[in-house]
Each structure stands twice: as C-alpha cells, then as structure tokens.
Amino acid sequence: MSKALDGVRILDFTHVQSGPTCTQLLAWFGADVIKVERAGAGDITREQLRDIPDVDSLYFTMLNHNKRSVTIDTKNPEGKQVLEALIQTCDVLVENFAPGALDRMGFTWERIQELNPRMIVASVKGFGPGPYEDCKVYENVAQCVGGAASTTGFDDGPPVVTGAQIGDSGTGLHLALGIVTALYQRTHTGRGQRVLAAMQDGVLNLCRVKLRDQQRLERTGVMKEYPQYPNGEFGEAVPRAGNASGGGQPGWILKCKGWETDPNAYIYFITQAPVWAKICNVIGKEEWATHPDYATPAARLPHLKDIFAEIERWTMTKTKFEAMQILNKYDIPCGPILSMKEIAEEPSLRKTGTIVEVDHPTRGKYLTVGNPIKLSDSPTEVTRSPLLGEHTDEVMAELGYSTEQISALRTAGAI
Ligand code: COA
C-alpha cells in the first residue's frame, strides 16, 4: 500500500529529541528521511542513557525509526559539497541546531534557496525572534518559559515540570504540521519557505487554557473550579491547580485499594454534571442528588473537597480497575493512573500499533511507542533506527558518486 508522504525526501539535520520526533513522524507517513550525522559520533543521544554498552541507546532508537543515516562532516569543504547535492535533491531540510549553527556552516536561507528554491527549511528553536532568540533550550527550560511549570504542581509547593515531553516532542509535532502545510502550499506556489516552531510557543500553545484563566482571574479575581476556592487566596497570576480539571467538570485524583504500597493505586474521578445522581448512588450518598448544597454544579463548587473526600472513601474500597469497571457502567468519566509497566504490558495498545516491539541488530528486541496518528490509507510500519552511517554509501550512490569517489571522500574525512 502507498504511503501519504511517498516521494517526499527529508534532509534530517536533527538531533536529541524535538527535531527527531518530527522527522520520525514524517518517516512513518512514508517520507524518505535521510539523517545527517557526524562520523564517529553521530546524534549525541546514541550514547546517552545507555543500558547496554556500545549499543545505541533507547533514547536514540525510540526517536529515529524508519530513517536512513549518512555521515557527513559539514564543516569539511568536500563534505559541504555532498550536503549541497543533498539539498538539491531533497524537499525539506529539518534542523534543530542551536541558533545560528546552520548559518555558521555556510547554509543560510539565501544559500539554500540558491541551491533549491523549492526547499522547505524547518527549524525548532527554543525561542522565537526577540530577546532570547540566541539561547539554547532543552525540554524543561521550555516548560518553564512556556507557562507549564508555573501552572503545574500544588499551591503550597514549587513549580513542577511534567513527565510529558511537551517542549521537545510537543514542538516536534507542531513542526511536522508546519512542514506538511508548507509542502501543500508549495503545490500552488512552487516555492519553498521557512517553517519555525519555537519551543516556548509550542508549550504555550498547549497551555492556552491557563492564559484563558489569567484573563478570567484579572476580571473576576476568583476561579471557582480551582482548589484555592473558597478557602484559599488568589494572587495576580494563575495559581497551580493540583489535580483539578481545568474545565467545568471538576475532577481529582483519588486513592484506591492498595494505595499504601502501590504508588499508582489511584484513579482520576470526574464529577460530570449529567451523571451526578449516578455518582451519588454509587457512593451511597443518594441524598446529595437533591440536597440544595450538592444538587447543582454551582452549589457543589464550594464543597468539592468534601465531595472528593466522600468519593475517595468509596474508591479506597476498590482497586483502580474495579472502580473503573463500576463507574464505566454508569458513564461516569474516570481513568486509572496507569504505570509505565502497565502501559507496556497492555495488549490493546500492542494491537493498535501504539506500542510496538522492534528488533535491532545490536540491541535485540525492545518496545517503542508507535505512530499515535493512524491513517486508514497510509498504515505505519515501524522499522528499526539506523546504525551510524549505515546508509552513507547507498545515499551517495543515489547522488551519483562512484565507489572510488566515496572511498576518496571517506579517506579525506568528508563522510
Ligand atoms: N558535521 C560537522 N559539524 C556538525 C555536524 C556535522 N554533521 N552536525 C552538527 N555539527 C556542529 C554544528 O554545526 C555546531 O557547530 P558550531 O557550534 O560550531 O556552529 C555543533 O555541531 C553543535 O551544535 P549545537 O546545536 O549547538 O549542539 P549543542 O549540543 O551545543 O546544543 C541544543 C544542543 C539542543 C541545546 C541546541 O542544539 C539547541 O538549542 N537546539 C534548538 C532547540 C532544541 O531543539 N532543543 C531541544 C533539543 S531536544
């Protein structure tokens, strides 16, 4: 079966996580992704957090499936020529170097356009244009400057970063959308363009409800669904809301049977308004369904702590899975807190290709997260990440280099 991005060639100059997330997605949609790395070293993540000596780390393998790897020293004049040939034959160049690195290599936007006016140049940077545009940025920095950290955690504790890689993988997703959009526009204009996804912007995009709340707070001085209401205090900025759900459907994380020893024996419980009477029945508080202090969402807001304490008395008598089974019968929205172990072992996720087992020549079998976006006409087959430089000769031959020229370039340290 054909793939959605068949025929699209990506010059993948990405490293670490944000850029590789983007190009891996494009590869899963069928693009030919050629990852350029430095000979002898490669993407720094190949050797970071290694669990097996001298074997590409899971960090690397899990972000670089379905790609080809070529080694080119782009600071070597002959290496630069190879890169120029690649620029001339690819549709998109994706990079997430520190600001200015591509220019310092000699590949400015103007130079790239001279080489290939159809080329789309897509970049992840920490910040967009402005006072911080020259700064290097990693995941947690992005979470801090994008509004996630100041709004995550509990009111009586420090800001907290989340385990979800919203700065890296989140921005990679944004960039991938920018790239396919630019490819679509090119079908009309015939021209390439620059695509920028700044990590601060990507995180803020995912935190937009908190900017909504900032403006509500400034207008009304209070946000009734926040745990600070009614007994705590609101300051000038959106506070950390613990585990409260953001919208008009109050929720909280509650203990389940076994919580004393199992750190994940918890469930997220949402007191959705339409099923309030059912919730009252399940927890044995039938009288709350009609009591004036509890019967309506507005009446319940000042009592949320007591309500969740009462519901927790019920959830603590059930395992998280038992509770979910019972609550689902009544359409009460809830979610068990799943550990990574439970997720890795979940058969339904294997069946859908969301978790995939991959075989690797030096690592053996390992699990990875497959494509979270499923296209009915472009199914994803996850194939292993490339070894460093595994496809150098193959790609060079496609560019028209002879075997002798390839060996000469290798001897000169250009590839
Ligand atoms: N041949 C020769 N040189 C190469 C090369 C190759 N194939 N590939 C990379 N290089 C060089 C670059 O040209 C650069 O050289 P320069 O500094 O002399 O110009 C150098 O390697 C290092 O690149 P850099 O991007 O600065 O790496 P770093 O390890 O110092 O910084 C980041 C890492 C992630 C902080 C930085 O790349 C960054 O801020 N990126 C943008 C934001 C981002 O994506 N962050 C999240 C990462 S998950």
Side-chain angles (χ1 to χ4, degrees):
M1 194 184 268
S2 66
K3 296 280 163 63
L5 296 182
D6 270 349
V8 174
R9 267 164 74 88
I10 310 276
L11 177 49
D12 181 9
F13 239 144
T14 67
H15 64 155
V16 200
Q17 184 179 164
S18 62
T21 303
C22 165
T23 51
Q24 177 170 262
L25 267 178
L26 301 174
W28 280 340
F29 290 135
D32 178 11
V33 175
I34 302 166
K35 184 170 172 106
V36 177
E37 298 177 83
R38 235 182 311 206
D43 187 326
I44 194 166
T45 60
R46 283 190 188 266
E47 59 174 39
Q48 279 179 342
L49 309 175
R50 270 188 177 151
D51 55 328
I52 306 174
D54 303 324
V55 168
D56 286 338
S57 71
L58 285 165
Y59 193 7
F60 177 84
T61 54
M62 291 177 73
L63 286 161
N64 290 285
H65 293 103
N66 298 59
K67 302 181 185 178
R68 299 197 281 171
S69 165
V70 301
T71 50
I72 304 175
D73 180 350
T74 56
K75 290 185 174 164
N76 173 306
E78 287 172 289
K80 273 192 211 298
Q81 282 173 12
V82 178
L83 196 64
E84 286 179 3
L86 274 170
I87 290 173
Q88 280 162 333
T89 58
C90 285
D91 299 283
V92 187
L93 184 158
V94 192
E95 62 93 20
N96 68 312
F97 290 128
L102 200 59
D103 290 359
R104 286 194 292 279
M105 262 180 215
F107 293 98
T108 59
W109 166 241
E110 291 73 25
R111 176 70 187 130
I112 293 170
Q113 272 199 308
E114 266 170 31
L115 292 165
N116 180 358
R118 287 173 59 79
M119 173 66 86
I120 290 157
V121 177
S123 305
V124 169
K125 294 288 167 263
F127 294 92
Y132 307 116
E133 65 189 8
D134 292 330
C135 299
K136 287 184 175 179
V137 168
Y138 283 105
E139 172 67 50
N140 289 348
V141 175
Q143 290 195 25
C144 292
V145 299
S150 69
T151 55
T152 303
F154 288 87
D155 198 27
D156 56 358
V160 173
V161 294
T162 80
Q165 305 288 285
I166 56 176
D168 281 340
S169 288
T171 309
L173 278 164
H174 284 90
L175 191 71
L177 178 60
I179 290 169
V180 291
T181 306
L183 279 167
Y184 182 71
Q185 191 172 13
R186 196 182 70 172
T187 62
H188 306 303
T189 64
R191 286 195 312 275
Q193 63 181 298
R194 277 175 289 180
V195 179
L196 171 67
M199 294 168 77
Q200 181 183 38
D201 301 5
V203 171
L204 178 58
N205 184 37
L206 299 175
C207 289
R208 71 174 50 229
V209 297
K210 299 297 178 180
L211 184 57
R212 172 202 68 192
D213 290 352
Q214 180 62 35
Q215 295 170 83
R216 290 172 60 216
L217 181 65
E218 283 169 16
R219 182 151 298 135
T220 65
V222 70
M223 292 184 294
K224 292 183 177 173
E225 78 281 18
Y226 274 61
Q228 288 76 4
Y229 178 80
N231 301 320
E233 284 191 4
F234 286 92
E236 287 186 340
V238 174
R240 295 186 262 290
N243 289 317
S245 26
Q249 309 295 349
W252 201 255
I253 288 184
L254 306 176
K255 291 170 183 160
C256 290
K257 199 192 237 175
W259 66 275
E260 299 91 337
T261 51
D262 176 356
N264 295 308
Y266 289 83
I267 194 163
Y268 199 94
F269 194 109
I270 297 181
T271 56
Q272 194 208 13
V275 290
W276 176 243
K278 292 177 187 171
I279 294 170
C280 298
N281 277 340
V282 168
I283 64 169
K285 292 291 273 184
E286 289 81 358
E287 67 277 17
W288 277 2
T290 49
H291 191 292
D293 283 349
Y294 299 94
T296 65
R300 287 195 288 279
L301 284 174
H303 306 293
L304 283 180
K305 279 202 179 100
D306 299 338
I307 290 171
F308 283 122
E310 193 60 41
I311 299 173
E312 190 171 61
R313 269 191 271 283
W314 178 80
T315 56
M316 281 167 70
T317 66
K318 312 275 179 271
T319 69
K320 60 188 177 187
F321 295 113
E322 287 166 354
M324 188 184 189
Q325 218 171 11
I326 296 166
L327 297 171
N328 273 350
K329 266 199 292 200
Y330 297 103
D331 269 345
I332 300 168
C334 64
I337 308 305
L338 295 184
S339 69
M340 266 303 151
K341 182 169 165 46
E342 287 163 334
I343 290 171
E345 292 166 359
E346 171 57 44
S348 65
L349 295 177
R350 301 285 184 100
K351 219 169 163 185
T352 56
T354 296
I355 301 236
V356 184
E357 190 176 74
V358 183
D359 206 358
H360 185 275
T362 54
R363 156 169 296 284
K365 289 193 165 52
Y366 65 95
L367 289 184
T368 195
V369 181
N371 193 345
I373 305 165
K374 321 286 198 245
L375 268 62
S376 62
D377 251 6
S378 181
T380 298
E381 295 149 49
V382 179
T383 60
R384 69 168 175 85
S385 59
L387 301 174
L388 180 60
E390 185 176 343
H391 304 96
T392 306
D393 289 24
E394 178 182 299
V395 170
M396 296 288 290
E398 285 168 13
L399 291 173
Y401 287 84
S402 67
T403 317
E404 294 71 33
Q405 286 171 317
I406 296 171
S407 344
L409 284 170
R410 191 162 276 130
T411 312
I415 58 171

